[in-house]
Amino acid sequence: MASTTNFLIALLVVVVMVAGPAMASEHWVGDDQGWKLDFNYTKWAATKEFHVGDKLIFKYKKDVHNVIRADQEAFQNCKPSSDVTPLTSGNDLINLTSPGKKWYICGIGQHCVKGVKLAINVLEAESGSPAPSPSGPAPSSASWISPNGKFVASIVAAFAMFVVIMS
Ligand SMILES: *[C@@H]1O[C@H](CO)[C@@H](O)[C@H](O)[C@H]1NC(C)=O
Ligand SMILES: *[C@@H]1O[C@H](CO)[C@@H](O)[C@H](O)[C@H]1NC(C)=O
Ligand SMILES: [Cu+2]
């Protein structure tokens, strides 16, 4: 029966979309609050899961804050090593390319001491999503499915429903 065939095709399309490569996430540090004073980034990070292939985005008013990659000691002491160049654009993107603990602090004034510091634990890439190699090109699947993968999946699902209903 034609309608059954159409339904199966539609179902297959939806399943492929949903079960396809896991999407890399973009994490806006501090969500809509951004990178600022009077925010608990420990608490924020505890609600998130970070994977290799994800991106961190630090949003802040340029020249008011900055972002410095730190090690554990610099994070705890708020004393970044002098050979690290701070990120200063106000819209800084960091690719999480390897698993493990990562630390970031603000290098302006006493901001780090006051809590403008972030420690995260980066997990392996989600299964099905190949870890992007730092030197190679981004995996082609990730570039079209992310960051609007969910949107694309919804469109396909809606189209599939339409096909089923019309058949
Ligand atoms: C931030 O939140 C964590 C976990 O909820 C808590 O342990 C810590 O004391 C908080 N830090 C500050 C400065 O409030
Ligand atoms: C992060 O990765 C993207 C590809 O996913 C690349 O275009 C971009 O230049 C990288 N940015 C940094 C700061 O490494
Ligand atoms: Cu700051």
Side-chain angles (χ1 to χ4, degrees):
M1 259 167 68
S3 65
T4 308
T5 310
N6 284 345
F7 175 75
L8 289 177
I9 290 169
L11 190 66
L12 185 70
V13 168
V14 173
V15 167
V16 167
M17 289 303 299
V18 173
M23 282 171 269
S25 310
E26 286 186 355
H27 304 278
W28 287 29
V29 176
D31 298 321
D32 58 344
Q33 297 290 296
W35 187 234
K36 63 189 271 285
L37 290 163
D38 304 316
F39 189 91
N40 189 331
Y41 293 97
T42 307
K43 210 169 176 177
W44 176 81
T47 66
K48 312 282 171 190
E49 211 173 82
F50 304 93
H51 292 271
V52 170
D54 290 359
K55 298 171 197 304
L56 287 182
I57 298 166
F58 291 86
K59 288 197 178 274
Y60 55 90
K61 210 168 184 190
K62 195 169 155 55
D63 299 328
V64 175
H65 304 285
N66 66 18
V67 179
I68 300 178
R69 292 166 205 258
D71 58 14
Q72 185 164 22
E73 203 186 336
F75 175 83
Q76 276 161 359
N77 303 334
C78 286
K79 289 202 174 69
S81 69
S82 53
D83 60 351
V84 181
T85 309
L87 303 173
T88 58
S89 76
N91 186 13
D92 300 327
L93 185 149
I94 290 178
N95 290 324
L96 301 176
T97 54
S98 64
K101 290 247 165 71
K102 315 283 167 191
W103 299 272
Y104 307 93
I105 64 178
C106 177
I108 307 287
Q110 295 298 301
H111 294 185
C112 173
V113 174
K114 290 177 180 165
V116 190
K117 59 198 306 202
L118 170 68
I120 62 169
N121 187 29
V122 180
L123 306 171
E124 296 286 351
E126 287 185 274
S127 60
S129 167
S133 91
S135 51
S140 58
S141 60
S143 61
W144 65 267
I145 203 166
S146 169
N148 290 319
K150 274 189 184 135
F151 177 71
V152 173
S154 313
I155 296 291
V156 171
F159 179 72
M161 290 307 291
F162 177 77
V163 169
V164 170
I165 290 162
M166 295 310 286
S167 60

